[in-house]
Amino acid sequence: MGKQVYIIHGYGASPANHWFPWLKEKLIADGNQVSVLHMPNSSDPNKEEWLDTLTNEIKNVNNKTYFVTHSLGSITLLNYLDQLDPLPSFGGFIIVSGFSEPLSSLPSLNPFTVTIVDYKKIISATNSRAVIAAKDDYIVPIQLSKNLSKQLDTSFYPVEKGGHFLEEDGFTSFPLVYDILNNIMRNL
């Protein structure tokens, strides 16, 4: 097996929050290398600092590299991939509660969505892409995740009740992410 998985958290979170530690343990038990990146100042995020963190932490993107992102971590990853020139082919990604347009509830995050990402470039670098969103997400409306899914030509997994998939929404584990990731890692 031996894949490299990077988990990228979102706004106001840390590697110790939500379902990230659970997912990391499950994937390591399967023989993968897993890094849950610690994004700086997550309560007052700065786009350049977040992109620098990805640049410094992500090594050797290749067909064994996979990403799992949550919320703000998603558009950050897409901006990072868009900057890679050339963008090497890589394993794939799962975006949870992702968005690519401004959130009216969090205008401080607008700098992250200013740059229009070259979706075709990202699509051509990988075959395995999925977006998961909850119909009752109260931070990122499901329509924004659907729009992102269309832009990235991904499989889309709507969840009836999940909120923003936070600890407070009952998500300290997330079997759906694990199952989808296992499927895409196996199908290479």
Side-chain angles (χ1 to χ4, degrees):
M1 195 79 171
K3 308 286 197 274
Q4 173 68 58
V5 181
Y6 292 98
I7 301 171
I8 305 168
H9 68 71
Y11 175 75
S14 82
N17 291 145
H18 314 314
W19 39 272
F20 313 134
W22 174 85
L23 183 61
K24 178 180 181 179
E25 278 176 39
K26 294 275 289 180
L27 293 169
I28 287 174
D30 294 341
N32 299 294
Q33 290 181 291
V34 185
S35 306
V36 186
L37 302 186
H38 190 281
M39 305 308 286
N41 304 316
S42 75
S43 303
D44 185 18
N46 172 289
K47 180 182 175 183
E48 298 316 317
E49 286 179 5
W50 278 41
L51 287 173
D52 286 349
T53 299
L54 296 195
T55 301
N56 295 330
E57 299 291 332
I58 296 171
K59 304 293 176 224
N60 303 327
V61 174
N62 61 40
N63 62 5
K64 291 187 173 193
T65 308
Y66 292 83
F67 301 96
V68 176
T69 66
H70 182 242
S71 196
L72 186 61
S74 307
I75 189 66
T76 306
L77 173 69
L78 298 175
N79 277 294
Y80 164 77
L81 293 171
D82 194 31
Q83 286 181 355
L84 294 181
D85 191 20
L87 172 59
S89 289
F90 63 99
F93 56 77
I94 298 176
I95 287 175
V96 178
S97 301
F99 59 94
S100 60
E101 35 201 306
L103 295 177
S104 53
S105 59
L106 288 166
S108 63
L109 305 184
N110 288 357
F112 285 83
T113 57
V114 168
T115 310
I116 304 299
V117 174
D118 182 348
Y119 296 102
K120 285 190 173 64
K121 172 181 172 179
I122 295 170
I123 291 167
S124 66
T126 181
N127 295 319
S128 302
R129 301 178 299 282
V131 170
I132 300 171
K135 293 179 179 176
D136 62 347
D137 194 321
Y138 48 88
I139 295 175
V140 176
I142 189 169
Q143 191 57 51
L144 298 190
S145 295
K146 268 188 192 155
N147 295 348
L148 181 60
S149 176
K150 283 192 187 98
Q151 289 166 313
L152 287 165
D153 189 23
T154 70
S155 308
F156 185 71
Y157 297 85
V159 173
E160 208 55 48
K161 291 197 177 329
H164 198 55
F165 302 110
L166 306 175
E167 247 160 284
E168 12 333 350
D169 301 320
F171 282 81
T172 50
S173 66
F174 204 160
L176 179 62
V177 171
Y178 176 74
D179 293 344
I180 295 170
L181 189 58
N182 262 329
N183 282 339
I184 66 177
M185 291 196 303
R186 257 191 253 116
N187 288 338
L188 254 194

PDB file of all heavy atoms in Angstrom, residues 162-180:
ATOM      1  N   GLY A 162     -25.136  16.361   8.589  1.00  0.00           N
ATOM      2  CA  GLY A 162     -23.730  16.338   9.010  1.00  0.00           C
ATOM      3  C   GLY A 162     -23.261  17.687   9.494  1.00  0.00           C
ATOM      4  O   GLY A 162     -22.175  17.813  10.043  1.00  0.00           O
ATOM      5  N   GLY A 163     -24.080  18.711   9.246  1.00  0.00           N
ATOM      6  CA  GLY A 163     -23.642  20.061   9.590  1.00  0.00           C
ATOM      7  C   GLY A 163     -22.362  20.383   8.838  1.00  0.00           C
ATOM      8  O   GLY A 163     -22.231  20.087   7.648  1.00  0.00           O
ATOM      9  N   HIS A 164     -21.379  20.928   9.546  1.00  0.00           N
ATOM     10  CA  HIS A 164     -20.091  21.256   8.913  1.00  0.00           C
ATOM     11  C   HIS A 164     -19.051  20.171   9.230  1.00  0.00           C
ATOM     12  O   HIS A 164     -17.857  20.390   9.093  1.00  0.00           O
ATOM     13  CB  HIS A 164     -19.622  22.640   9.391  1.00  0.00           C
ATOM     14  CG  HIS A 164     -18.574  23.250   8.525  1.00  0.00           C
ATOM     15  ND1 HIS A 164     -18.710  23.444   7.162  1.00  0.00           N
ATOM     16  CD2 HIS A 164     -17.340  23.728   8.834  1.00  0.00           C
ATOM     17  CE1 HIS A 164     -17.608  23.997   6.681  1.00  0.00           C
ATOM     18  NE2 HIS A 164     -16.763  24.181   7.672  1.00  0.00           N
ATOM     19  N   PHE A 165     -19.523  19.006   9.658  1.00  0.00           N
ATOM     20  CA  PHE A 165     -18.662  17.853   9.972  1.00  0.00           C
ATOM     21  C   PHE A 165     -17.621  18.202  11.039  1.00  0.00           C
ATOM     22  O   PHE A 165     -16.453  17.863  10.908  1.00  0.00           O
ATOM     23  CB  PHE A 165     -17.980  17.310   8.710  1.00  0.00           C
ATOM     24  CG  PHE A 165     -18.951  16.886   7.649  1.00  0.00           C
ATOM     25  CD1 PHE A 165     -19.080  17.616   6.472  1.00  0.00           C
ATOM     26  CD2 PHE A 165     -19.756  15.768   7.815  1.00  0.00           C
ATOM     27  CE1 PHE A 165     -19.980  17.231   5.487  1.00  0.00           C
ATOM     28  CE2 PHE A 165     -20.664  15.383   6.833  1.00  0.00           C
ATOM     29  CZ  PHE A 165     -20.773  16.114   5.666  1.00  0.00           C
ATOM     30  N   LEU A 166     -18.076  18.904  12.082  1.00  0.00           N
ATOM     31  CA  LEU A 166     -17.203  19.277  13.186  1.00  0.00           C
ATOM     32  C   LEU A 166     -17.462  18.356  14.380  1.00  0.00           C
ATOM     33  O   LEU A 166     -18.468  17.654  14.426  1.00  0.00           O
ATOM     34  CB  LEU A 166     -17.470  20.727  13.621  1.00  0.00           C
ATOM     35  CG  LEU A 166     -17.401  21.797  12.528  1.00  0.00           C
ATOM     36  CD1 LEU A 166     -17.807  23.154  13.097  1.00  0.00           C
ATOM     37  CD2 LEU A 166     -15.990  21.869  11.950  1.00  0.00           C
ATOM     38  N   GLU A 167     -16.539  18.413  15.355  1.00  0.00           N
ATOM     39  CA  GLU A 167     -16.742  17.684  16.603  1.00  0.00           C
ATOM     40  C   GLU A 167     -18.115  17.995  17.189  1.00  0.00           C
ATOM     41  O   GLU A 167     -18.848  17.111  17.603  1.00  0.00           O
ATOM     42  CB  GLU A 167     -15.680  18.126  17.617  1.00  0.00           C
ATOM     43  CG  GLU A 167     -14.693  17.068  17.982  1.00  0.00           C
ATOM     44  CD  GLU A 167     -13.438  17.684  18.570  1.00  0.00           C
ATOM     45  OE1 GLU A 167     -12.617  18.236  17.802  1.00  0.00           O
ATOM     46  OE2 GLU A 167     -13.301  17.619  19.802  1.00  0.00           O
ATOM     47  N   GLU A 168     -18.454  19.315  17.207  1.00  0.00           N
ATOM     48  CA  GLU A 168     -19.740  19.685  17.799  1.00  0.00           C
ATOM     49  C   GLU A 168     -20.922  19.141  16.994  1.00  0.00           C
ATOM     50  O   GLU A 168     -22.029  19.090  17.502  1.00  0.00           O
ATOM     51  CB  GLU A 168     -19.938  21.148  18.020  1.00  0.00           C
ATOM     52  CG  GLU A 168     -19.197  22.321  17.572  1.00  0.00           C
ATOM     53  CD  GLU A 168     -17.750  22.421  17.218  1.00  0.00           C
ATOM     54  OE1 GLU A 168     -16.915  21.538  17.426  1.00  0.00           O
ATOM     55  OE2 GLU A 168     -17.451  23.473  16.682  1.00  0.00           O
ATOM     56  N   ASP A 169     -20.700  18.739  15.762  1.00  0.00           N
ATOM     57  CA  ASP A 169     -21.757  18.107  14.957  1.00  0.00           C
ATOM     58  C   ASP A 169     -21.751  16.586  15.140  1.00  0.00           C
ATOM     59  O   ASP A 169     -22.469  15.870  14.443  1.00  0.00           O
ATOM     60  CB  ASP A 169     -21.564  18.435  13.472  1.00  0.00           C
ATOM     61  CG  ASP A 169     -21.593  19.926  13.185  1.00  0.00           C
ATOM     62  OD1 ASP A 169     -22.428  20.626  13.793  1.00  0.00           O
ATOM     63  OD2 ASP A 169     -20.783  20.389  12.357  1.00  0.00           O
ATOM     64  N   GLY A 170     -20.880  16.102  16.038  1.00  0.00           N
ATOM     65  CA  GLY A 170     -20.813  14.665  16.307  1.00  0.00           C
ATOM     66  C   GLY A 170     -19.776  13.929  15.476  1.00  0.00           C
ATOM     67  O   GLY A 170     -19.779  12.700  15.421  1.00  0.00           O
ATOM     68  N   PHE A 171     -18.874  14.662  14.823  1.00  0.00           N
ATOM     69  CA  PHE A 171     -17.899  14.012  13.945  1.00  0.00           C
ATOM     70  C   PHE A 171     -16.512  13.936  14.589  1.00  0.00           C
ATOM     71  O   PHE A 171     -15.667  14.793  14.395  1.00  0.00           O
ATOM     72  CB  PHE A 171     -17.838  14.728  12.586  1.00  0.00           C
ATOM     73  CG  PHE A 171     -18.988  14.365  11.703  1.00  0.00           C
ATOM     74  CD1 PHE A 171     -20.214  14.981  11.869  1.00  0.00           C
ATOM     75  CD2 PHE A 171     -18.867  13.368  10.750  1.00  0.00           C
ATOM     76  CE1 PHE A 171     -21.310  14.623  11.089  1.00  0.00           C
ATOM     77  CE2 PHE A 171     -19.961  12.996   9.965  1.00  0.00           C
ATOM     78  CZ  PHE A 171     -21.176  13.632  10.134  1.00  0.00           C
ATOM     79  N   THR A 172     -16.319  12.849  15.363  1.00  0.00           N
ATOM     80  CA  THR A 172     -14.970  12.551  15.852  1.00  0.00           C
ATOM     81  C   THR A 172     -14.420  11.363  15.060  1.00  0.00           C
ATOM     82  O   THR A 172     -13.265  10.992  15.191  1.00  0.00           O
ATOM     83  CB  THR A 172     -14.985  12.218  17.357  1.00  0.00           C
ATOM     84  OG1 THR A 172     -15.985  11.234  17.589  1.00  0.00           O
ATOM     85  CG2 THR A 172     -15.300  13.478  18.173  1.00  0.00           C
ATOM     86  N   SER A 173     -15.274  10.776  14.235  1.00  0.00           N
ATOM     87  CA  SER A 173     -14.849   9.778  13.250  1.00  0.00           C
ATOM     88  C   SER A 173     -15.653  10.089  11.986  1.00  0.00           C
ATOM     89  O   SER A 173     -16.656  10.792  12.048  1.00  0.00           O
ATOM     90  CB  SER A 173     -15.128   8.352  13.735  1.00  0.00           C
ATOM     91  OG  SER A 173     -16.514   8.125  13.834  1.00  0.00           O
ATOM     92  N   PHE A 174     -15.178   9.580  10.856  1.00  0.00           N
ATOM     93  CA  PHE A 174     -15.848   9.917   9.596  1.00  0.00           C
ATOM     94  C   PHE A 174     -15.642   8.757   8.618  1.00  0.00           C
ATOM     95  O   PHE A 174     -14.841   8.848   7.679  1.00  0.00           O
ATOM     96  CB  PHE A 174     -15.258  11.219   9.038  1.00  0.00           C
ATOM     97  CG  PHE A 174     -16.178  11.978   8.110  1.00  0.00           C
ATOM     98  CD1 PHE A 174     -15.962  13.324   7.865  1.00  0.00           C
ATOM     99  CD2 PHE A 174     -17.249  11.368   7.472  1.00  0.00           C
ATOM    100  CE1 PHE A 174     -16.783  14.047   7.007  1.00  0.00           C
ATOM    101  CE2 PHE A 174     -18.078  12.070   6.620  1.00  0.00           C
ATOM    102  CZ  PHE A 174     -17.838  13.425   6.381  1.00  0.00           C
ATOM    103  N   PRO A 175     -16.361   7.634   8.850  1.00  0.00           N
ATOM    104  CA  PRO A 175     -16.167   6.446   8.013  1.00  0.00           C
ATOM    105  C   PRO A 175     -16.346   6.703   6.513  1.00  0.00           C
ATOM    106  O   PRO A 175     -15.672   6.068   5.698  1.00  0.00           O
ATOM    107  CB  PRO A 175     -17.212   5.466   8.545  1.00  0.00           C
ATOM    108  CG  PRO A 175     -17.442   5.895   9.963  1.00  0.00           C
ATOM    109  CD  PRO A 175     -17.304   7.385   9.957  1.00  0.00           C
ATOM    110  N   LEU A 176     -17.221   7.636   6.135  1.00  0.00           N
ATOM    111  CA  LEU A 176     -17.439   7.894   4.708  1.00  0.00           C
ATOM    112  C   LEU A 176     -16.142   8.356   4.027  1.00  0.00           C
ATOM    113  O   LEU A 176     -15.796   7.876   2.951  1.00  0.00           O
ATOM    114  CB  LEU A 176     -18.545   8.946   4.519  1.00  0.00           C
ATOM    115  CG  LEU A 176     -18.864   9.322   3.067  1.00  0.00           C
ATOM    116  CD1 LEU A 176     -19.384   8.126   2.272  1.00  0.00           C
ATOM    117  CD2 LEU A 176     -19.883  10.464   3.024  1.00  0.00           C
ATOM    118  N   VAL A 177     -15.413   9.255   4.671  1.00  0.00           N
ATOM    119  CA  VAL A 177     -14.142   9.729   4.103  1.00  0.00           C
ATOM    120  C   VAL A 177     -13.168   8.559   3.973  1.00  0.00           C
ATOM    121  O   VAL A 177     -12.528   8.367   2.941  1.00  0.00           O
ATOM    122  CB  VAL A 177     -13.514  10.842   4.979  1.00  0.00           C
ATOM    123  CG1 VAL A 177     -12.095  11.174   4.506  1.00  0.00           C
ATOM    124  CG2 VAL A 177     -14.375  12.098   4.931  1.00  0.00           C
ATOM    125  N   TYR A 178     -13.072   7.769   5.037  1.00  0.00           N
ATOM    126  CA  TYR A 178     -12.150   6.630   5.041  1.00  0.00           C
ATOM    127  C   TYR A 178     -12.491   5.650   3.916  1.00  0.00           C
ATOM    128  O   TYR A 178     -11.603   5.191   3.187  1.00  0.00           O
ATOM    129  CB  TYR A 178     -12.210   5.949   6.407  1.00  0.00           C
ATOM    130  CG  TYR A 178     -11.370   4.707   6.520  1.00  0.00           C
ATOM    131  CD1 TYR A 178      -9.982   4.792   6.612  1.00  0.00           C
ATOM    132  CD2 TYR A 178     -11.963   3.452   6.539  1.00  0.00           C
ATOM    133  CE1 TYR A 178      -9.203   3.644   6.709  1.00  0.00           C
ATOM    134  CE2 TYR A 178     -11.193   2.300   6.647  1.00  0.00           C
ATOM    135  CZ  TYR A 178      -9.821   2.404   6.729  1.00  0.00           C
ATOM    136  OH  TYR A 178      -9.054   1.267   6.820  1.00  0.00           O
ATOM    137  N   ASP A 179     -13.780   5.347   3.766  1.00  0.00           N
ATOM    138  CA  ASP A 179     -14.203   4.382   2.739  1.00  0.00           C
ATOM    139  C   ASP A 179     -13.920   4.894   1.332  1.00  0.00           C
ATOM    140  O   ASP A 179     -13.408   4.154   0.476  1.00  0.00           O
ATOM    141  CB  ASP A 179     -15.689   4.050   2.888  1.00  0.00           C
ATOM    142  CG  ASP A 179     -15.982   3.288   4.184  1.00  0.00           C
ATOM    143  OD1 ASP A 179     -15.034   2.768   4.807  1.00  0.00           O
ATOM    144  OD2 ASP A 179     -17.164   3.230   4.580  1.00  0.00           O
ATOM    145  N   ILE A 180     -14.253   6.152   1.072  1.00  0.00           N
ATOM    146  CA  ILE A 180     -14.016   6.715  -0.268  1.00  0.00           C
ATOM    147  C   ILE A 180     -12.512   6.735  -0.554  1.00  0.00           C
ATOM    148  O   ILE A 180     -12.063   6.349  -1.637  1.00  0.00           O
ATOM    149  CB  ILE A 180     -14.610   8.132  -0.395  1.00  0.00           C
ATOM    150  CG1 ILE A 180     -16.138   8.088  -0.280  1.00  0.00           C
ATOM    151  CG2 ILE A 180     -14.201   8.773  -1.727  1.00  0.00           C
ATOM    152  CD1 ILE A 180     -16.786   9.467  -0.151  1.00  0.00           C
TER     153      ILE A 180
END
